[in-house]
Amino acid sequence: MQEVAHRQLSANGYEGAVVALRPSSGEVLALASSPGFDPNPLTDSATAAGAWESVTTDPGNPLINHATQETLPPGSIFKIITTAAGLDNGYSADSQLTGAAEITLPGTTTTLTNYAGQTCAGGGQVSLETAFSLSCNTAFVEMGIDVGADALRSAAESFGVGEQYDLGLPVSPGSLGELPDDAALGQTSIGQRDVTMSALQAAVMAATVANDGRRMEPYLVDRITGTDLRELRGNEPREITQAVSPEVAGELEDLMLASERNTSGGRSGIASKTGTAEHGEEGTPPHTWYVAYLPDSDVAVAVVVKDGGGFGSSATGGQVASPVGRAVLDAAGGQ
């Protein structure tokens, strides 16, 4: 899995990260970061100065662990958390939401649109299941504002947004950001505005759904042995919190299965959500995301490919990130 994750990033020239976890325990199965660097020239006095200059001025920041240290706007993968807040506050897969092409943020003249300005399933009212599977922004703005800031923040914290983990390597917490008004809440509900997550946190989010709503602490080191190979210390799985009930987790899984069916190249038996996150100036290629797991196997994966992966401003999570995630899930085999 590690080899496939690394190859999927490097062979395609992608900058970003892949994290795969075992949902039942939190064990990290793969952790890939791109771009990387060759440490060998740094250890040779004849080449060290030039090598150091090269890696420290590289705009891709190869010295950063992009899987754990870099936090980015998650875009629509965050709708998993918004949906969890909704399901915990009276919504169901059949609940009706707006399918309009755009929605005006409360107290402003600013409109927020669906992808490419399209209506959701023809407009009118649509079910939450339809809105989730087609990733309709306007519906999630409406639901996020309705459930309120406290419910959304509680759900985000339950899934680990803003939390740091002790992996023995640098980890950034990410953030939900401030929610001063309903306009900010609406933007946050679709994973934009000030929301940031790392690939590790995205994988934990997917793994939590897969694990009947239980969020496990991720860990890299399974055990430490002495020189005689006797075990000195082991790492026991630790549950952090019950983020959502098993019933809500089951509803989220059904929605994610429907989302995969409506994703480019989607396959039966994968529960997933894509994300296409705007950032920077208008016209900047988006960051593309994919989180997924196999309900019949103990594997969850998160992928982020930065700046559209070379596909330009029209890049999407389904087009760029999802093939990477599926390749890693294929490599998992019977894990």
Side-chain angles (χ1 to χ4, degrees):
M1 292 176 70
Q2 177 70 21
E3 180 183 357
V4 168
H6 176 72
R7 186 170 64 244
Q8 284 287 320
L9 293 174
S10 59
N12 288 299
Y14 291 159
E15 293 187 2
V18 177
V19 178
L21 300 175
R22 193 180 301 284
S24 65
S25 66
E27 177 188 356
V28 176
L29 302 172
L31 190 80
S33 171
S34 178
F37 66 97
D38 181 358
N40 292 297
L42 295 170
T43 66
D44 185 337
S45 60
T47 58
W52 181 249
E53 174 72 14
S54 177
V55 297
T56 55
T57 59
D58 188 326
N61 295 317
L63 293 175
I64 295 292
N65 185 331
H66 296 278
T68 65
Q69 282 182 276
E70 187 169 39
T71 58
L72 301 165
S76 291
I77 63 167
F78 187 81
K79 290 172 183 173
I80 292 172
I81 291 175
T82 304
T83 301
L87 294 173
D88 266 338
N89 287 274
Y91 280 82
S92 71
D94 296 325
S95 294
Q96 298 296 297
L97 295 160
T98 181
E102 64 179 34
I103 188 170
T104 301
L105 296 174
T108 76
T109 57
T110 302
T111 57
L112 194 151
T113 65
N114 293 327
Y115 179 75
Q118 301 170 344
T119 60
C120 183
Q125 294 292 105
V126 298
S127 68
L128 173 56
E129 179 177 1
T130 297
F132 190 97
S133 64
L134 299 179
S135 203
C136 304
N137 290 334
T138 56
F140 284 89
V141 170
E142 181 182 52
M143 182 170 68
I145 291 172
D146 182 52
V147 300
D150 290 344
L152 188 65
R153 187 173 295 282
S154 176
E157 290 174 352
S158 293
F159 276 92
V161 177
E163 187 163 338
Q164 285 184 286
Y165 300 106
D166 183 11
L167 293 181
L169 47 78
V171 175
S172 297
S175 173
L176 187 68
E178 297 297 319
L179 300 173
D181 51 37
D182 282 350
L185 179 57
Q187 293 171 303
T188 300
S189 297
I190 60 169
Q192 294 285 176
R193 191 176 165 85
D194 297 327
V195 188
T196 58
M197 296 174 70
S198 66
L200 173 66
Q201 289 171 320
V204 168
M205 176 180 66
T208 299
V209 178
N211 195 37
D212 293 329
R214 298 189 304 274
R215 177 161 63 96
M216 306 299 290
E217 182 173 29
Y219 64 93
L220 276 169
V221 178
D222 183 55
R223 61 196 180 102
I224 297 173
T225 63
T227 54
D228 58 359
L229 300 185
R230 285 187 299 175
E231 183 173 317
L232 303 177
R233 180 164 60 87
N235 218 330
E236 294 295 326
R238 187 176 79 85
E239 180 179 323
I240 297 176
T241 188
Q242 182 80 41
V244 292
S245 69
E247 293 74 23
V248 167
E251 293 178 86
L252 286 169
E253 180 173 294
D254 289 341
L255 294 173
M256 292 174 70
L257 288 166
S259 176
E260 175 73 11
R261 290 193 294 269
N262 282 281
T263 299
S264 176
R267 297 187 200 165
S268 175
I270 296 178
S272 74
K273 184 71 188 77
T274 59
T276 304
E278 297 178 357
H279 67 104
E281 298 179 358
E282 186 174 353
T284 300
H287 299 318
T288 61
W289 291 83
Y290 180 71
V291 295
Y293 67 90
L294 299 169
D296 295 330
S297 299
D298 201 10
V299 180
V301 66
V303 177
V304 59
V305 177
K306 296 169 59 179
D307 300 316
F311 288 85
S313 58
S314 62
T316 64
Q319 174 193 30
V320 182
S322 70
V324 177
R326 294 189 195 105
V328 174
L329 290 177
D330 287 345
Q335 291 270 344

Short mmCIF file of all heavy atoms in Angstrom, two decimals, residues 266-295:
data_model
loop_
_atom_site.label_atom_id
_atom_site.label_comp_id
_atom_site.label_asym_id
_atom_site.label_seq_id
_atom_site.Cartn_x
_atom_site.Cartn_y
_atom_site.Cartn_z
N GLY A 266 -16.54 5.39 -10.47
CA GLY A 266 -17.02 4.81 -9.23
C GLY A 266 -17.24 3.31 -9.30
O GLY A 266 -17.60 2.77 -10.34
N ARG A 267 -17.00 2.65 -8.16
CA ARG A 267 -17.13 1.20 -8.09
C ARG A 267 -18.09 0.79 -7.00
O ARG A 267 -18.15 1.42 -5.93
CB ARG A 267 -15.77 0.56 -7.79
CG ARG A 267 -14.71 0.78 -8.83
CD ARG A 267 -13.51 -0.05 -8.45
NE ARG A 267 -12.30 0.41 -9.09
CZ ARG A 267 -11.08 0.04 -8.71
NH1 ARG A 267 -10.94 -0.77 -7.66
NH2 ARG A 267 -10.02 0.48 -9.34
N SER A 268 -18.79 -0.26 -7.24
CA SER A 268 -19.68 -0.83 -6.23
C SER A 268 -18.85 -1.33 -5.06
O SER A 268 -17.76 -1.89 -5.23
CB SER A 268 -20.47 -1.99 -6.85
OG SER A 268 -21.25 -2.64 -5.88
N GLY A 269 -19.36 -1.10 -3.85
CA GLY A 269 -18.69 -1.62 -2.66
C GLY A 269 -17.71 -0.67 -2.01
O GLY A 269 -17.09 -1.03 -1.01
N ILE A 270 -17.54 0.54 -2.55
CA ILE A 270 -16.69 1.54 -1.93
C ILE A 270 -17.58 2.66 -1.39
O ILE A 270 -18.50 3.13 -2.07
CB ILE A 270 -15.67 2.14 -2.92
CG1 ILE A 270 -14.70 1.06 -3.41
CG2 ILE A 270 -14.90 3.29 -2.29
CD1 ILE A 270 -13.70 1.56 -4.44
N ALA A 271 -17.33 3.08 -0.16
CA ALA A 271 -18.02 4.23 0.43
C ALA A 271 -17.06 5.41 0.34
O ALA A 271 -15.93 5.33 0.84
CB ALA A 271 -18.39 3.95 1.88
N SER A 272 -17.48 6.51 -0.28
CA SER A 272 -16.53 7.58 -0.54
C SER A 272 -17.18 8.95 -0.58
O SER A 272 -18.41 9.09 -0.61
CB SER A 272 -15.81 7.34 -1.88
OG SER A 272 -16.69 7.63 -2.97
N LYS A 273 -16.33 9.96 -0.61
CA LYS A 273 -16.76 11.34 -0.87
C LYS A 273 -15.58 12.07 -1.51
O LYS A 273 -14.44 11.92 -1.06
CB LYS A 273 -17.16 12.05 0.42
CG LYS A 273 -17.72 13.46 0.17
CD LYS A 273 -19.08 13.41 -0.47
CE LYS A 273 -19.58 14.79 -0.91
NZ LYS A 273 -18.91 15.21 -2.19
N THR A 274 -15.87 12.82 -2.55
CA THR A 274 -14.85 13.63 -3.20
C THR A 274 -14.93 15.07 -2.71
O THR A 274 -15.92 15.49 -2.12
CB THR A 274 -15.02 13.62 -4.73
OG1 THR A 274 -16.32 14.13 -5.05
CG2 THR A 274 -14.87 12.22 -5.29
N GLY A 275 -13.87 15.82 -2.98
CA GLY A 275 -13.85 17.24 -2.65
C GLY A 275 -13.04 18.02 -3.67
O GLY A 275 -12.03 17.52 -4.18
N THR A 276 -13.50 19.21 -3.98
CA THR A 276 -12.80 20.11 -4.88
C THR A 276 -12.78 21.46 -4.19
O THR A 276 -13.80 22.14 -4.12
CB THR A 276 -13.52 20.19 -6.25
OG1 THR A 276 -13.65 18.87 -6.79
CG2 THR A 276 -12.74 21.06 -7.22
N ALA A 277 -11.62 21.83 -3.65
CA ALA A 277 -11.55 22.97 -2.74
C ALA A 277 -10.90 24.19 -3.40
O ALA A 277 -9.74 24.14 -3.82
CB ALA A 277 -10.76 22.59 -1.48
N GLU A 278 -11.66 25.27 -3.46
CA GLU A 278 -11.13 26.52 -3.99
C GLU A 278 -10.15 27.13 -2.99
O GLU A 278 -10.30 26.99 -1.78
CB GLU A 278 -12.27 27.50 -4.25
CG GLU A 278 -13.25 27.03 -5.31
CD GLU A 278 -14.39 28.01 -5.51
OE1 GLU A 278 -14.45 29.02 -4.77
OE2 GLU A 278 -15.24 27.76 -6.39
N HIS A 279 -9.15 27.83 -3.53
CA HIS A 279 -8.20 28.53 -2.66
C HIS A 279 -7.47 29.56 -3.52
O HIS A 279 -7.47 29.48 -4.76
CB HIS A 279 -7.19 27.55 -2.05
CG HIS A 279 -6.26 26.93 -3.07
ND1 HIS A 279 -4.95 27.32 -3.20
CD2 HIS A 279 -6.47 25.98 -4.01
CE1 HIS A 279 -4.39 26.62 -4.17
NE2 HIS A 279 -5.28 25.80 -4.68
N GLY A 280 -6.84 30.51 -2.85
CA GLY A 280 -6.07 31.51 -3.58
C GLY A 280 -6.93 32.43 -4.42
O GLY A 280 -8.13 32.59 -4.19
N GLU A 281 -6.33 33.01 -5.44
CA GLU A 281 -7.04 33.94 -6.30
C GLU A 281 -7.96 33.19 -7.26
O GLU A 281 -7.79 32.00 -7.52
CB GLU A 281 -6.04 34.78 -7.10
CG GLU A 281 -5.13 35.66 -6.23
CD GLU A 281 -4.15 36.46 -7.05
OE1 GLU A 281 -4.15 36.31 -8.30
OE2 GLU A 281 -3.39 37.24 -6.45
N GLU A 282 -8.94 33.89 -7.78
CA GLU A 282 -9.89 33.29 -8.71
C GLU A 282 -9.12 32.72 -9.91
O GLU A 282 -8.23 33.36 -10.46
CB GLU A 282 -10.90 34.33 -9.18
CG GLU A 282 -12.01 33.76 -10.03
CD GLU A 282 -13.07 34.78 -10.37
OE1 GLU A 282 -13.01 35.91 -9.84
OE2 GLU A 282 -13.96 34.46 -11.19
N GLY A 283 -9.48 31.53 -10.30
CA GLY A 283 -8.81 30.87 -11.42
C GLY A 283 -7.68 29.95 -11.01
O GLY A 283 -7.15 29.21 -11.85
N THR A 284 -7.28 30.00 -9.72
CA THR A 284 -6.24 29.08 -9.24
C THR A 284 -6.79 27.66 -9.24
O THR A 284 -7.90 27.42 -8.75
CB THR A 284 -5.81 29.46 -7.81
OG1 THR A 284 -5.30 30.79 -7.80
CG2 THR A 284 -4.74 28.51 -7.30
N PRO A 285 -6.07 26.69 -9.80
CA PRO A 285 -6.57 25.31 -9.78
C PRO A 285 -6.89 24.85 -8.37
O PRO A 285 -6.13 25.14 -7.43
CB PRO A 285 -5.41 24.52 -10.39
CG PRO A 285 -4.70 25.50 -11.26
CD PRO A 285 -4.79 26.80 -10.52
N PRO A 286 -7.97 24.13 -8.17
CA PRO A 286 -8.38 23.72 -6.82
C PRO A 286 -7.56 22.55 -6.30
O PRO A 286 -6.96 21.80 -7.06
CB PRO A 286 -9.85 23.29 -7.04
CG PRO A 286 -9.85 22.76 -8.45
CD PRO A 286 -8.90 23.65 -9.22
N HIS A 287 -7.56 22.42 -4.96
CA HIS A 287 -7.06 21.19 -4.35
C HIS A 287 -8.13 20.12 -4.52
O HIS A 287 -9.33 20.40 -4.34
CB HIS A 287 -6.75 21.40 -2.88
CG HIS A 287 -5.71 22.44 -2.60
ND1 HIS A 287 -4.56 22.56 -3.35
CD2 HIS A 287 -5.65 23.42 -1.65
CE1 HIS A 287 -3.83 23.55 -2.87
NE2 HIS A 287 -4.46 24.09 -1.85
N THR A 288 -7.73 18.91 -4.85
CA THR A 288 -8.70 17.83 -5.08
C THR A 288 -8.53 16.75 -4.03
O THR A 288 -7.41 16.37 -3.68
CB THR A 288 -8.52 17.23 -6.48
OG1 THR A 288 -7.22 16.67 -6.62
CG2 THR A 288 -8.72 18.30 -7.55
N TRP A 289 -9.66 16.26 -3.51
CA TRP A 289 -9.67 15.31 -2.39
C TRP A 289 -10.51 14.07 -2.71
O TRP A 289 -11.43 14.12 -3.52
CB TRP A 289 -10.29 15.97 -1.16
CG TRP A 289 -9.51 17.06 -0.50
CD1 TRP A 289 -9.49 18.38 -0.86
CD2 TRP A 289 -8.69 16.94 0.67
NE1 TRP A 289 -8.69 19.09 0.00
CE2 TRP A 289 -8.19 18.24 0.96
CE3 TRP A 289 -8.34 15.88 1.51
CZ2 TRP A 289 -7.36 18.50 2.05
CZ3 TRP A 289 -7.51 16.13 2.59
CH2 TRP A 289 -7.03 17.43 2.85
N TYR A 290 -10.18 13.01 -2.01
CA TYR A 290 -10.99 11.78 -2.05
C TYR A 290 -10.78 11.04 -0.74
O TYR A 290 -9.63 10.80 -0.33
CB TYR A 290 -10.54 10.90 -3.22
CG TYR A 290 -11.29 9.60 -3.40
CD1 TYR A 290 -12.60 9.57 -3.87
CD2 TYR A 290 -10.66 8.38 -3.17
CE1 TYR A 290 -13.26 8.37 -4.09
CE2 TYR A 290 -11.30 7.18 -3.39
CZ TYR A 290 -12.62 7.18 -3.85
OH TYR A 290 -13.27 5.98 -4.07
N VAL A 291 -11.87 10.74 -0.04
CA VAL A 291 -11.80 9.88 1.14
C VAL A 291 -12.70 8.68 0.89
O VAL A 291 -13.78 8.82 0.29
CB VAL A 291 -12.22 10.61 2.43
CG1 VAL A 291 -11.25 11.72 2.76
CG2 VAL A 291 -13.64 11.18 2.33
N ALA A 292 -12.26 7.51 1.32
CA ALA A 292 -13.02 6.31 1.01
C ALA A 292 -12.65 5.18 1.95
O ALA A 292 -11.59 5.21 2.59
CB ALA A 292 -12.77 5.87 -0.44
N TYR A 293 -13.52 4.20 2.01
CA TYR A 293 -13.19 2.97 2.74
C TYR A 293 -13.98 1.82 2.14
O TYR A 293 -14.94 2.00 1.39
CB TYR A 293 -13.47 3.11 4.23
CG TYR A 293 -14.92 3.26 4.64
CD1 TYR A 293 -15.71 2.14 4.92
CD2 TYR A 293 -15.49 4.51 4.78
CE1 TYR A 293 -17.03 2.27 5.32
CE2 TYR A 293 -16.82 4.66 5.18
CZ TYR A 293 -17.58 3.54 5.45
OH TYR A 293 -18.90 3.67 5.84
N LEU A 294 -13.52 0.61 2.47
CA LEU A 294 -14.18 -0.61 2.03
C LEU A 294 -14.99 -1.17 3.19
O LEU A 294 -14.40 -1.61 4.18
CB LEU A 294 -13.15 -1.64 1.57
CG LEU A 294 -12.25 -1.23 0.39
CD1 LEU A 294 -11.10 -2.21 0.23
CD2 LEU A 294 -13.07 -1.15 -0.88
N PRO A 295 -16.31 -1.13 3.13
CA PRO A 295 -17.12 -1.60 4.25
C PRO A 295 -16.83 -3.05 4.66
O PRO A 295 -17.00 -3.42 5.81
CB PRO A 295 -18.55 -1.46 3.73
CG PRO A 295 -18.48 -0.34 2.73
CD PRO A 295 -17.15 -0.54 2.06
#
